[in-house]
Amino acid sequence: MSDNSTYCDFSVDFVKNKFTNDLSKVIDRTAIRQSISNIMLTMKGEKPFNRNFGCDLHKYLFENIDSSSIALLTLQRDIGDQLAAWEPRVELTSVELDESDMDSNNLGINVTYIINNMDQETGSSFEDSVSVTITKVR
């Protein structure tokens, strides 16, 4: 980790840094966004030795979902539970579902959160969000 960054992870692309010949890294806000996207897009059982990791978004693709569906409430709860369990660097603010394009088999998910201790010197926090769209392909 460099002196200027608080959080550091490997890039999910696993590309090599051409200057250091080592794996590229992502820092701070980008590292958190990458982690949250990974948690949401991972199917349960997909991560070796950790069957409970992931949100299982794919299972909602084939649900008969409308705006009053219990499945949407379950989805919001699952995302909140997974982020609380696997991403201790953030405090979840909201999980919003965009159902406006559901007739076209698209569901937008926007997760808003506060990154804890983003600035090491001041201990200040930072609000950010990640958006993911799941789509059913026929």
Side-chain angles (χ1 to χ4, degrees):
M1 181 165 19
S2 72
D3 294 334
N4 298 347
S5 61
T6 303
Y7 300 118
C8 181
D9 291 328
F10 291 118
S11 171
V12 293
D13 298 330
F14 288 104
V15 294
K16 196 184 319 183
N17 182 315
K18 61 183 175 184
F19 298 109
T20 64
N21 213 23
D22 200 358
L23 285 176
S24 291
K25 65 180 181 176
V26 291
I27 58 172
D28 292 336
R29 188 172 158 192
T30 307
I32 302 286
R33 283 180 168 186
Q34 176 181 280
S35 174
I36 290 174
S37 293
N38 285 341
I39 292 168
M40 289 196 307
L41 296 173
T42 300
M43 297 182 297
K44 287 194 179 193
E46 182 179 358
K47 185 174 180 181
F49 308 108
N50 199 339
R51 297 178 57 204
N52 295 320
F53 181 89
C55 289
D56 262 349
L57 294 183
H58 73 285
K59 77 179 182 182
Y60 294 96
L61 293 176
F62 300 102
E63 289 282 329
N64 188 10
I65 297 178
D66 62 11
S67 58
S68 63
S69 175
I70 193 76
L72 293 179
L73 296 173
T74 303
L75 173 60
Q76 284 178 307
R77 189 193 71 230
D78 287 349
I79 291 171
D81 290 348
Q82 287 296 308
L83 293 181
W86 303 109
E87 188 46 80
R89 301 176 287 188
V90 302
E91 181 180 323
L92 185 64
T93 304
S94 68
V95 177
E96 298 171 359
L97 304 176
D98 179 8
E99 308 155 36
S100 62
D101 202 19
M102 286 185 64
D103 290 338
S104 299
N105 299 313
N106 294 318
L107 178 63
I109 303 165
N110 187 52
V111 176
T112 306
Y113 51 91
I114 296 172
I115 302 173
N116 299 317
N117 301 320
M118 183 66 166
D119 186 342
Q120 288 180 335
E121 292 177 11
T122 65
S124 64
S125 299
F126 180 79
E127 186 172 72
D128 200 7
S129 65
V130 171
S131 294
V132 172
T133 300
I134 56 174
T135 304
K136 183 186 338 182
V137 180
R138 294 181 189 229

